[in-house]
Amino acid sequence: MALVYYIIILTFFINMNFKNLAMWAVIVFLTIGLYNMFKNTQGSTSKKQNIIFSEFLSEVENGRVIQVEIQGNNIRGIMANGESFTTYSPNYPNLIEKLSDKGVSISAAPLDEKMPSLFGVLLSWFPMLLLIAVWIFFMRQMQGGKGGAMGFGRSKAKLMDDAKKKVTFDDVAGIDEAKEEVQEIVEFLKSPKKFIRVGGKIPRGALLVGLPGTGKTLLARAIAGESGVPFFTISGSDFVEMFVGVGAARVRDMFEQGKKNAPCIIFIDELDAVGRSRGAGLGGGNDEREQTLNQILVEMDGFETNDGVIILASTNRPDVLDPALLRPGRFDRQIVVPLPDILGREKILKIHSKKVSMGPDVKLKTIAKGTPGFSGADLANLVNEAALLAARNNKRIVTSNEFEDAKDKVMMGAERKSMVMTEEDKKLTAYHESGHAIVALNEKASDPIHKATIMPRGNALGVVWTLPERDRYSHTREYLKANISKAMGGRIAEELIFGYEKVTSGASSDLQTATKLAKDMVTKFGMSNELGPLSYGENEEEVFLGRSITRHQQMSEDTTKKIDVEIKKIVDEGYKKAKKILTEKIDDLHKLAKALLTYETLTGNEIDDLIYKNIYPDNKEGVKVESNDQDSALGSIGLKPKIVH
């Protein structure tokens, strides 16, 4: 018995967990009860023997029974030789007289005189205890195990661990203005006296606004690493779950944690998940989300002050946020995190390429120049893709070729080399893409051609990709019309070469692009002579469920018809201009289509040399074209290629 107790106590201390104390207590009691039960059972069965009633009467007659204990119909007794026995007695008359005559010592006891044992009590309560334990387990699981079964309203804000790798401002590049704005907050937390001395107050909150991938969350992590104060982070979607009132309770608990750890920073990622405009939605909106938002508004600027608690939030949908959330006193600053310019892209590439073994031919400035419109996340993905391509080719360093291939993969999609195309499909694709390229070359306002290919990429059979020479922040009327003409060039080339009935559906995306540009020119940019400098377009960024239903159209039917007429007029002008260019430059169209059929992919410089200098690429390995091969793809369309090296 001592050994059993020792094992139980040792196991308990080894696995001791105060949250599971009740479970261990139940286990200990059950073990002791089972041990006692089996001990008593074994002890009784080893010393006592069960005899039949007739044998018992015979032993009494022979005088071998000296003592009995009668309890109801159960009889226990002792033989003359000291052995114990048990038997069951029917309603036998004159049993007591017979025992008395033989001199047997008789004792009697009432039924069920003993109190129930501890084991019996535990056994009777075991189903109820099991049910309670199962209920607690499922409630903990429902809430992610945090806060226990009664922890619905506990905040899910996570405290940033200092042991993890810190992100500093040195790890953030390309958004210098945004860094300066948040650095002031960090300086206030480190040395508040400098600001208090001149009467300044720390901002209550700062809202980081920018497109996806620009570095809003990374900037918040840098603030956490630089400030040296407790930093709580939570997602906007973590406030609202399946129970009503949980969101507001979690907001209160989050701010209570912040007050206890003041000065501190609370970062709410994707604020638009819980901060959308109230009253927007079918039936007046989402009451639970609005309750959570109301609690956030009260906590940020209510009767109680939250000194030392700074709220940081990020969103890429500032247009749908509630106006009360954006006013000074709650979010005093709206920090715009823009797309990086060419200098910013170069700095970002330097940061992400620190751990990459690059060859001497890699020029980060050149890569930055060729990636306008890329965000920080896009550039990080570009560097990673280049490293993966180098590893796939069993190279130890990343060269400029890998970066170029990675850029093409990111911008145009991965090559579908396994796709089988017929010769007719290749010719159609070659002339389609050549039509785009020739129009782009002859439109002065168009961006330069980066690359043209008939190799299927992504969802397209071929791609002509143009890149601006510098970052564009606005577009002229001339530029927009040039892009419309360029978009129509592919369809016109198919019609000129193969006929009206051979026009394919490959121009569907081009038509969408041209129509959208024309519509924006008429309704948003005021570039229509007929309608004048007026804006007729709705702000599509603000449209979401509920708000779009309650919005009224502010245009008459006549105005709508005029808009449709103007859009068609602009697209038709682009169509006519592209057709005129391709008709006059039909020889260039044939020349470029022939080169694409031969080489499949041409860069912008190679296209310029081909069209203007009649110089064919000399860096394409293993390409041989016979001028007299009438069965080839070139010969079938009546072309006689002549490659000049």
Side-chain angles (χ1 to χ4, degrees), residues 395-627:
K395 293 184 177 180
R396 295 185 178 272
I397 59 173
V398 183
T399 63
S400 60
N401 293 331
E402 278 75 36
F403 273 102
E404 190 69 21
D405 294 340
K407 185 171 68 173
D408 294 342
K409 183 179 180 180
V410 172
M411 292 191 302
M412 298 184 292
E415 291 185 355
R416 293 187 291 169
K417 298 181 180 180
S418 61
M419 186 175 180
V420 179
M421 295 179 62
T422 63
E423 292 295 325
E424 186 178 359
D425 291 334
K426 289 183 179 180
K427 288 187 288 183
L428 281 167
T429 304
Y431 274 98
H432 183 99
E433 303 304 332
S434 298
H436 290 307
I438 297 299
V439 174
L441 286 175
N442 290 272
E443 283 281 5
K444 295 181 180 180
S446 178
D447 293 324
I449 298 175
H450 168 66
K451 187 167 290 186
T453 180
I454 60 172
M455 179 68 70
R457 284 183 175 271
N459 295 324
L461 296 179
V463 178
V464 174
W465 198 268
T466 58
L467 288 178
E469 294 179 331
R470 55 180 178 82
D471 294 323
R472 290 186 178 271
Y473 304 103
S474 60
H475 305 299
T476 63
R477 189 197 303 262
E478 183 184 19
Y479 176 79
L480 295 173
K481 287 186 175 181
N483 282 336
I484 294 174
S485 299
K486 182 179 65 177
M488 306 303 292
R491 179 185 176 94
I492 295 171
E494 293 180 4
E495 186 176 345
L496 289 176
I497 302 301
F498 302 100
Y500 181 80
E501 298 296 333
K502 293 290 186 178
V503 174
T504 66
S505 60
S508 60
S509 60
D510 301 328
L511 299 179
Q512 292 177 5
T513 301
T515 305
K516 186 179 184 304
L517 288 175
K519 184 179 179 181
D520 291 343
M521 290 177 64
V522 175
T523 60
K524 293 183 180 181
F525 306 148
M527 295 182 178
S528 171
N529 296 327
E530 181 69 22
L531 297 173
L534 294 175
S535 177
Y536 295 97
E538 298 178 350
N539 191 357
E540 298 178 356
E541 294 181 353
E542 294 186 356
V543 176
F544 61 93
L545 185 60
R547 184 177 289 181
S548 59
I549 297 176
T550 58
R551 181 176 295 158
H552 301 285
Q553 189 176 7
Q554 302 296 328
M555 291 186 295
S556 64
E557 292 184 3
D558 293 338
T559 304
T560 305
K561 291 181 181 179
K562 289 181 180 179
I563 291 174
D564 293 338
V565 171
E566 285 297 301
I567 293 174
K568 189 175 186 306
K569 180 181 177 182
I570 294 175
V571 175
D572 288 342
E573 288 179 358
Y575 184 89
K576 292 177 181 178
K577 189 172 183 181
K579 190 172 184 177
K580 180 182 178 183
I581 292 174
L582 292 178
T583 304
E584 295 175 354
K585 304 290 183 179
I586 190 69
D587 294 335
D588 293 340
L589 180 64
H590 285 299
K591 185 187 295 185
L592 183 56
K594 176 246 331 186
L596 286 175
L597 284 169
T598 306
Y599 301 111
E600 292 186 340
T601 300
L602 296 173
T603 64
N605 293 330
E606 291 173 345
I607 293 174
D608 289 341
D609 292 339
L610 176 66
I611 299 300
Y612 298 119
K613 301 178 183 179
N614 200 34
I615 299 176
Y616 285 75
D618 58 356
N619 58 346
K620 309 292 184 181
E621 298 180 359
V623 178
K624 295 181 180 180
V625 180
E626 301 293 337
S627 60

Side-chain angles (χ1 to χ4, degrees), residues 94 117 226 248 257 269 296 363 387 467 499:
N94 303 322
S117 62
E226 293 282 352
Q257 292 183 34
D269 201 7
I296 292 176
K363 307 295 181 183
L467 288 178

Side-chain angles (χ1 to χ4, degrees), residues 245-279:
V246 171
R250 287 179 176 175
V251 171
R252 289 190 292 269
D253 186 71
M254 180 182 69
F255 277 89
E256 286 296 328
Q257 292 183 34
K259 292 175 185 178
K260 293 178 182 178
N261 295 275
C264 70
I265 298 174
I266 298 176
F267 175 62
I268 305 175
D269 201 7
E270 304 297 340
L271 182 64
D272 53 278
V274 72
R276 291 198 171 199
S277 294
R278 290 167 290 181

